[in-house]
């Protein structure tokens, strides 16, 4: 039995997770929990700064705000106790970085231009470009 090669989106997510774990080993537990949310498709961008992240148990959604200064806020109990760095914030951050990495990997793979992509792929690419051009995302903004 053969297994399918991971998609470009999956590669982008896994590379993002691997790099963040290496860069922030002191946050590995929350990064891993956020990674599980990202892999499960629990992260949704609401607008420029806000993301909705479905809870692990699926019973509620948390709003994560990621302003330009890189400080994240979340409505969850963990964020209230610690001030920042909850799994929902990490999942939101990883989704931003993965969107950029997706664009880079797509270019390297020779994926057709956005006007030839499905509407969802085009939306992701435009969002990634906007994040980079607006300066909202960088490797040093957890």
């Amino acid at each position: 039995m053969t297994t399918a090669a991971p998609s470009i989106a999956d590669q982008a997510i896994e590379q993002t997770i691997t790099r963040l774990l290496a860069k922030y080993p002191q946050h590995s537990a929350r990064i891993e929990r956020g990674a599980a949310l990202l892999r499960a498709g629990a992260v949704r961008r609401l607008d420029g700064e806000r993301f909705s992240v479905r809870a692990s148990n699926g019973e509620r959604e948390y709003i994560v705000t990621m302003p330009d200064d890189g400080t994240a806020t979340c409505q969850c109990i963990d964020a209230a106790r610690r001030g920042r760095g909850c799994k929902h914030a990490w999942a939101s951050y990883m989704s931003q970085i993965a969107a950029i990495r997706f664009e880079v990997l797509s270019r390297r793979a020779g994926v057709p231009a956005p006007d030839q992509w499905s509407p969802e792929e085009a939306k992701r690419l435009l969002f990634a470009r906007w994040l980079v051009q607006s300066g909202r995302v960088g490797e040093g903004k957890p």
Side-chain angles (χ1 to χ4, degrees), residues 46-58:
L46 299 174
D47 59 35
E49 292 184 347
R50 296 177 329 126
F51 292 80
S52 171
V53 182
R54 198 172 54 250
S56 306
N57 62 11

Side-chain angles (χ1 to χ4, degrees), residues 99-120:
I100 295 166
R101 197 167 312 286
F102 177 77
E103 179 180 359
V104 170
L105 291 173
S106 295
R107 282 187 196 164
R108 286 183 187 160
V111 174
D115 58 351
Q116 298 171 351
W117 289 12
S118 71
E120 182 58 32

Side-chain angles (χ1 to χ4, degrees), residues 30-131:
R30 283 181 178 75
I31 292 171
E32 287 288 353
R33 290 182 193 128
L37 293 170
L38 183 61
R39 288 179 184 123
V43 182
R44 184 171 47 100
R45 179 178 166 264
L46 299 174
D47 59 35
E49 292 184 347
R50 296 177 329 126
F51 292 80
S52 171
V53 182
R54 198 172 54 250
S56 306
N57 62 11
E59 292 181 6
R60 112 167 250 209
E61 288 192 26
Y62 296 101
I63 303 299
V64 176
T65 304
M66 306 275 302
D68 289 341
D69 65 5
T71 59
T73 60
C74 181
Q75 304 165 328
C76 75
I77 293 170
D78 187 40
R81 284 187 200 142
R82 299 180 66 241
R84 63 176 267 188
C86 68
K87 65 183 175 183
H88 310 107
W90 278 105
S92 299
Y93 178 63
M94 284 185 275
S95 74
Q96 292 177 1
I97 299 301
I100 295 166
R101 197 167 312 286
F102 177 77
E103 179 180 359
V104 170
L105 291 173
S106 295
R107 282 187 196 164
R108 286 183 187 160
V111 174
D115 58 351
Q116 298 171 351
W117 289 12
S118 71
E120 182 58 32
E121 289 170 324
K123 180 179 173 183
R124 290 176 72 181
L125 177 62
L126 292 173
F127 175 56
R129 283 186 180 156
W130 175 81
L131 287 171

